[in-house]
Structure formats: structure tokens, C-alpha cells
Amino acid sequence: MSAPASASGERRMKPRIGLFVTCLVDLMRPSVGFAAVKLLEDAGCTVDVPVQTCCGQPAYNSGDRGTTRDLAEQVIEAFRGYDYVVAPSGSCAGMIKTHYPELFADDPNWLPRANALAARTWELTSFLVDVLGVTKVDSAFEGTVTYHDSCSGLRELGVRAQPRRLLASMEGVTLVELNESDVCCGFGGTFAVKYSDISGAIVDAKTKHVSETGASTLLAGDLGCLMNMAGKLSREGKPIEVRHVAEVLAGMTDDPPIAAAKDPRRP
């Protein structure tokens, strides 16, 4: 993985990263977490995974500010002292970076700590490109891919060009742009539960656009979006693999695609 040298030419100290794994990655797709660690270590970082809990977003979106604050305080404490906090999720990173300061706006004791954490928190591909200056990943992936921009990553954090720039540096990857790539996939966390009919109609349109690209693989940076779209593509019988962008960038694609059955012949 290539990053520019410092202006002085002196060897820089390794940034100490606290990886915010996210609930879905921990419970549903741990390979994304391992891929994030590899990408960060290849870029010259030291990575720790502190004991952590949910960022509080489901409670926040449901209007339960008390539970959200309790969870946020635990996150702030867990990630105290790291140079940066990085998450393979625009949704969780957006919660910490954008909504924690709002959550503690009336608390003079916690607000400075929330602001400090927010300032050090980044989505994975944005951190690699915008902070570390990574220009190339040393891995390959054969195939045509398309990319979905998650709502939180795009609108709260400005994540769009960064994953595409890294994918373009890979050998074998052909990126085909997705029509309405910036439109919601219909997941929206608790939205998909509260308004299932609307959510279903939205993901219908999304998978139609995915199929129209002719890509063999659909990528995104948020596991919630990926699981939603993968489930729909699977029910439609579409032979399109779905993966988190970190897995492809790290060259860690041995695990079956999301929503695909594991080969029983493999350990």
C-alpha cells in the first residue's frame, strides 16, 4: 500500500488506531473487521480493538436519548487516548462524528469529550485516502464491480471519491457506475422495520439498477446496506456477489459473499 513520504523525509511514528468494529461486523461479518485491520496496518498504523459497545444509533433513531447517551459515554471512554478512531462504516462513524456533539450539546462535562472524539473519528476509506494519503492498495480482484454510496457516509461524511480511488488502483478491477448510486437502498436501520413496504419498494429499485450495470459484484462501505441488498438479490435469484469494499481492497475474499451459503466442503 502506497502513501507519500513526509516532507522532511523523516520516518513518521505509527498512528495508533482504535478500530470501531460495529455491531453488524462483529456479529454478522467479522471478515470486514479483519480486512480493516489489514488495510490500516499495511498503511503503517498500529491497530487496537478495545472492548466496545454499540455506538447508540438504533436508540438515537428511535428517540431514546437516555440509552443513547449511556452508550455514547461508554464509547467515549473506550476510545480515549487513541490518535484516531476508524470504522468500516459510514453509518457508525457518522453517528460518532456528527451526532455525539449534538447529543451532549447541553452537557458542559461531556461535550468537550464528545467533540474531541468526533474530531478523531473517520470512516475507513476516507481515513486511508484523506488522512494517510494512501494512493494504491497492493491487491488484485478480477471482475466488474459497481458501488453503492451509503446515505450516512455520503451525506454526513462526504465519502464518495475515496473508495473509488482505491478500487481504481487495483489490478483487475473494472468499476461500472451504478445508476442512482447515491439513493438509499431502503435499509435505514429501524426504518426497514417501521416501514417495511416502503423499504421493500426502495430496494426493488436499487437491485434493478444493480442488475442493469452487468457487474458481477456489488460493493459498499456499510454492512447494513449490503445485507439488505444482498438479501433482495438472493431472493430474486440474481447471480451477483455482494461484498464490503474493505474485503476487496484488502484482498480478503475467501469467505463466501454476503447472503451466500458457505461451501460445506471448505473448513
Side-chain angles (χ1 to χ4, degrees):
M1 184 175 293
S2 303
S6 62
S8 65
E10 297 178 358
R11 185 175 181 178
R12 295 174 296 179
M13 294 190 63
K14 289 185 176 183
R16 186 166 175 251
I17 309 300
L19 181 67
F20 190 84
V21 176
T22 84
C23 299
L24 286 180
V25 169
D26 182 34
L27 297 173
M28 307 299 295
R29 192 76 174 177
S31 57
V32 175
F34 291 116
V37 171
K38 182 179 187 301
L39 288 166
L40 291 167
E41 289 182 341
D42 286 352
C45 299
T46 298
V47 183
D48 292 332
V49 183
V51 176
Q52 56 195 266
T53 186
C54 175
C55 68
Q57 187 182 65
Y60 184 79
N61 290 342
S62 299
D64 185 352
R65 294 297 186 267
T67 298
T68 307
R69 284 176 65 110
D70 289 343
L71 292 169
E73 288 175 9
Q74 292 181 56
V75 172
I76 292 170
E77 278 294 303
F79 287 91
R80 184 164 47 109
Y82 290 101
D83 297 323
Y84 299 97
V85 176
V86 177
S89 163
S91 179
C92 296
M95 177 66 193
I96 296 171
K97 197 171 186 72
T98 302
H99 299 295
Y100 275 20
E102 298 171 355
L103 187 66
F104 293 102
D106 60 350
D107 190 328
N109 293 320
W110 280 96
L111 180 59
R113 301 169 71 180
N115 283 334
L117 179 62
R120 303 195 315 273
T121 298
W122 295 81
E123 182 273 340
L124 175 64
T125 61
S126 177
F127 181 72
L128 292 170
V129 172
D130 299 330
V131 178
L132 297 182
V134 173
T135 58
K136 185 179 188 305
V137 291
D138 298 323
S139 56
F141 182 83
E142 291 296 330
T144 302
V145 306
T146 194
Y147 196 90
H148 164 73
D149 298 295
S150 71
C151 295
S152 295
L154 178 65
R155 292 167 178 82
E156 294 180 346
L157 304 176
V159 178
R160 188 181 190 282
Q162 301 92 329
R164 289 169 171 82
R165 191 173 303 166
L166 295 175
L167 288 167
S169 76
M170 295 180 63
E171 181 181 345
V173 171
T174 299
L175 176 64
V176 178
E177 284 297 339
L178 175 65
N179 185 28
E180 297 186 349
S181 66
D182 59 348
V183 173
C184 178
C185 74
F187 178 60
T190 55
F191 172 86
V193 178
K194 293 178 181 177
Y195 307 104
S196 58
D197 290 344
I198 299 174
S199 173
I202 294 172
V203 76
D204 281 346
K206 178 63 67 172
T207 55
K208 178 178 180 290
H209 291 320
V210 171
S211 298
E212 288 171 349
T213 66
S216 59
T217 304
L218 169 64
L219 304 177
D222 268 273
L223 191 52
C225 303
L226 288 163
M227 291 172 61
N228 186 46
M229 295 183 292
K232 181 60 176 177
L233 289 167
S234 176
R235 293 190 296 274
E236 293 174 340
K238 300 289 176 61
I240 300 171
E241 295 190 352
V242 181
R243 295 187 180 277
H244 193 286
V245 67
E247 296 174 306
V248 170
L249 293 174
M252 298 173 64
T253 55
D254 288 341
D255 283 352
I258 298 168
K262 185 173 183 178
D263 188 341
R265 296 168 297 180
R266 296 182 60 181

CSV table of all heavy atoms in Angstrom, one decimal, residues 14 16 46 58 84 97 105 119 122 143 167 210 223 232 263 266:
chain,number,residue,atom,x,y,z
A,14,LYS,N,4.1,5.6,13.9
A,14,LYS,CA,2.9,5.0,13.5
A,14,LYS,C,1.7,5.5,14.3
A,14,LYS,O,1.7,5.6,15.5
A,14,LYS,CB,3.0,3.5,13.8
A,14,LYS,CG,4.0,2.7,12.8
A,14,LYS,CD,3.9,1.2,13.1
A,14,LYS,CE,4.8,0.5,12.1
A,14,LYS,NZ,4.6,-1.0,12.3
A,16,ARG,N,-1.7,5.5,16.2
A,16,ARG,CA,-2.3,4.4,17.0
A,16,ARG,C,-3.8,4.5,16.8
A,16,ARG,O,-4.5,5.5,17.1
A,16,ARG,CB,-2.0,4.6,18.5
A,16,ARG,CG,-2.5,3.5,19.3
A,16,ARG,CD,-1.9,3.5,20.7
A,16,ARG,NE,-2.4,2.6,21.6
A,16,ARG,CZ,-3.2,2.8,22.6
A,16,ARG,NH1,-3.5,4.1,22.9
A,16,ARG,NH2,-3.7,1.9,23.4
A,46,THR,N,-0.7,1.3,13.8
A,46,THR,CA,-0.8,0.3,14.9
A,46,THR,C,-2.3,0.3,15.2
A,46,THR,O,-2.9,1.3,15.5
A,46,THR,CB,0.0,0.7,16.1
A,46,THR,OG1,1.4,0.7,15.7
A,46,THR,CG2,-0.2,-0.4,17.2
A,58,PRO,N,-29.2,2.9,16.8
A,58,PRO,CA,-30.6,2.5,16.8
A,58,PRO,C,-31.4,3.2,17.8
A,58,PRO,O,-32.6,3.5,17.6
A,58,PRO,CB,-30.4,1.0,17.1
A,58,PRO,CG,-29.1,0.6,16.5
A,58,PRO,CD,-28.2,1.8,16.9
A,84,TYR,N,-6.5,8.2,16.4
A,84,TYR,CA,-7.7,8.2,15.6
A,84,TYR,C,-8.6,7.0,15.9
A,84,TYR,O,-8.2,6.0,16.4
A,84,TYR,CB,-7.3,8.1,14.1
A,84,TYR,CG,-6.5,9.2,13.6
A,84,TYR,CD1,-5.1,9.0,13.5
A,84,TYR,CD2,-7.0,10.4,13.2
A,84,TYR,CE1,-4.3,10.0,13.0
A,84,TYR,CE2,-6.2,11.4,12.7
A,84,TYR,CZ,-4.8,11.2,12.6
A,84,TYR,OH,-4.0,12.2,12.1
A,97,LYS,N,-19.3,11.1,14.8
A,97,LYS,CA,-18.7,12.4,14.3
A,97,LYS,C,-19.7,13.5,14.3
A,97,LYS,O,-19.4,14.6,14.6
A,97,LYS,CB,-18.0,12.2,13.0
A,97,LYS,CG,-17.1,13.2,12.6
A,97,LYS,CD,-16.3,12.8,11.3
A,97,LYS,CE,-15.2,13.8,11.0
A,97,LYS,NZ,-14.1,13.8,11.9
A,105,ALA,N,-24.8,18.4,23.6
A,105,ALA,CA,-24.7,19.9,23.4
A,105,ALA,C,-25.0,20.7,24.7
A,105,ALA,O,-24.5,21.8,24.9
A,105,ALA,CB,-25.6,20.3,22.3
A,119,ALA,N,-13.7,14.6,16.4
A,119,ALA,CA,-12.6,15.2,15.6
A,119,ALA,C,-11.6,14.1,15.2
A,119,ALA,O,-10.9,14.3,14.2
A,119,ALA,CB,-11.9,16.3,16.3
A,122,TRP,N,-13.1,8.6,11.9
A,122,TRP,CA,-13.1,8.6,10.4
A,122,TRP,C,-13.7,7.3,9.9
A,122,TRP,O,-13.6,6.3,10.5
A,122,TRP,CB,-11.7,8.7,9.8
A,122,TRP,CG,-11.1,10.1,10.1
A,122,TRP,CD1,-10.5,10.4,11.3
A,122,TRP,CD2,-11.0,11.2,9.2
A,122,TRP,NE1,-10.0,11.7,11.2
A,122,TRP,CE2,-10.4,12.2,9.9
A,122,TRP,CE3,-11.5,11.4,7.9
A,122,TRP,CZ2,-10.1,13.5,9.4
A,122,TRP,CZ3,-11.3,12.7,7.4
A,122,TRP,CH2,-10.6,13.7,8.1
A,143,GLY,N,-12.7,-8.8,-12.0
A,143,GLY,CA,-14.1,-8.7,-12.2
A,143,GLY,C,-14.6,-7.3,-12.3
A,143,GLY,O,-13.9,-6.3,-12.1
A,167,LEU,N,-10.2,1.6,-5.4
A,167,LEU,CA,-10.6,0.5,-6.3
A,167,LEU,C,-9.9,0.7,-7.6
A,167,LEU,O,-9.5,-0.3,-8.2
A,167,LEU,CB,-12.1,0.4,-6.5
A,167,LEU,CG,-12.9,-0.1,-5.3
A,167,LEU,CD1,-14.4,0.2,-5.5
A,167,LEU,CD2,-12.7,-1.6,-5.1
A,210,VAL,N,-28.7,-2.2,-10.0
A,210,VAL,CA,-27.5,-3.1,-9.8
A,210,VAL,C,-27.5,-4.1,-11.0
A,210,VAL,O,-26.4,-4.3,-11.6
A,210,VAL,CB,-27.5,-3.8,-8.5
A,210,VAL,CG1,-26.4,-4.8,-8.4
A,210,VAL,CG2,-27.4,-2.8,-7.3
A,223,LEU,N,-22.3,-2.4,6.2
A,223,LEU,CA,-22.8,-3.7,6.2
A,223,LEU,C,-24.3,-3.8,6.2
A,223,LEU,O,-24.9,-4.7,5.6
A,223,LEU,CB,-22.2,-4.5,7.3
A,223,LEU,CG,-22.4,-6.0,7.3
A,223,LEU,CD1,-22.0,-6.6,6.0
A,223,LEU,CD2,-21.7,-6.7,8.5
A,232,LYS,N,-32.1,-9.1,-1.0
A,232,LYS,CA,-33.0,-8.9,-2.1
A,232,LYS,C,-32.5,-9.6,-3.3
A,232,LYS,O,-33.3,-10.3,-4.0
A,232,LYS,CB,-33.2,-7.5,-2.3
A,232,LYS,CG,-34.2,-7.1,-3.4
A,232,LYS,CD,-35.6,-7.7,-3.1
A,232,LYS,CE,-36.6,-7.3,-4.2
A,232,LYS,NZ,-37.9,-7.9,-4.0
A,263,ASP,N,-19.7,-23.0,1.4
A,263,ASP,CA,-19.5,-24.3,0.8
A,263,ASP,C,-19.1,-25.3,1.9
A,263,ASP,O,-18.2,-25.2,2.6
A,263,ASP,CB,-18.3,-24.2,-0.2
A,263,ASP,CG,-18.0,-25.5,-1.0
A,263,ASP,OD1,-18.5,-26.5,-0.6
A,263,ASP,OD2,-17.3,-25.4,-2.0
A,266,ARG,N,-15.6,-26.7,2.4
A,266,ARG,CA,-14.5,-25.9,2.9
A,266,ARG,C,-14.5,-25.9,4.4
A,266,ARG,O,-15.6,-25.8,5.0
A,266,ARG,CB,-14.6,-24.5,2.3
A,266,ARG,CG,-14.4,-24.5,0.8
A,266,ARG,CD,-14.5,-23.1,0.3
A,266,ARG,NE,-13.4,-22.3,0.8
A,266,ARG,CZ,-13.2,-21.0,0.6
A,266,ARG,NH1,-14.0,-20.4,-0.2
A,266,ARG,NH2,-12.2,-20.3,1.1
